């Protein structure tokens, strides 16, 4: 199963190829995507992305996770989250969301088992 292409990104809106839903924030993995609802894990801009935000994506067997920190990089990524991914043998790329989407799409196009979490506003 391949990772779906992120078809479009603009402030507050993301579309994943093959999915009719428009996301504000989203999670993607080989074979799927869904809304990234911060309320599920109590995530806020600070301290930022929690290991719990990534568990679902990690369980899909990804080799790389791309984290989009928002258009202005307001979303933090604490060391504990990076440690969680490294302990699971997963490469991680943390970028501003537009750059993160470009990197994710490039990896997916090369057939890498890549997943990601992307914040589409601040």
């Amino acid at each position: 199963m391949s990772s779906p292409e992120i078809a479009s990104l603009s402030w507050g809106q993301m579309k994943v190829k093959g999915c009719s839903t428009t996301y504000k924030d989203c999670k993607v993995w080989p074979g799927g995507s869904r809304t990234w609802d911060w309320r599920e894990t109590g995530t806020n801009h600070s301290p930022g992305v929690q290991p719990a935000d990534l568990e679902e994506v990690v369980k899909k067997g990804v080799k790389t996770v791309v984290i989009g920190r928002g258009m202005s990089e307001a979303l933090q990524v604490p060391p504990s989250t990076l440690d969680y991914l490294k302990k699971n043998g997963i490469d991680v790329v943390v970028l501003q969301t537009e750059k993160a989407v470009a990197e994710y799409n490039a990896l997916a196009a090369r057939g890498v088992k890549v997943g990601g979490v992307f914040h589409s506003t601040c």
Side-chain angles (χ1 to χ4, degrees):
M1 229 179 283
S2 60
S3 299
E5 176 187 344
I6 296 174
S8 67
L9 167 68
S10 59
W11 184 273
Q13 294 190 343
M14 297 183 70
K15 293 208 56 83
V16 175
K17 196 170 189 175
C19 179
S20 60
T21 305
T22 299
Y23 300 114
K24 175 179 172 272
D25 298 323
C26 76
K27 296 182 178 190
V28 291
W29 59 81
S33 65
R34 78 171 183 93
T35 293
W36 178 19
D37 183 348
W38 292 14
R39 292 172 296 195
E40 292 173 1
T41 56
T43 295
N44 286 297
H45 287 103
S46 181
V49 182
Q50 304 300 303
D53 293 312
L54 299 169
E55 284 174 359
E56 178 179 17
V57 175
V58 167
K59 287 178 183 170
K60 304 293 185 180
V62 298
K63 300 293 178 222
T64 303
V65 167
V66 179
I67 299 173
R69 293 188 50 211
M71 300 301 216
S72 304
E73 299 185 87
L75 180 61
Q76 302 301 303
V77 182
S80 59
T81 298
L82 301 176
D83 290 344
Y84 165 76
L85 291 167
K86 286 177 187 149
K87 283 179 186 157
N88 280 279
I90 296 168
D91 294 327
V92 62
V93 180
V94 179
L95 295 166
Q96 183 267 356
T97 296
E98 289 162 308
K99 292 175 182 164
V101 165
E103 179 67 16
Y104 167 87
N105 280 341
L107 290 166
R110 292 202 321 259
V112 174
K113 289 190 81 164
V114 61
V117 294
F118 301 95
H119 178 45
S120 73
T121 58
C122 43

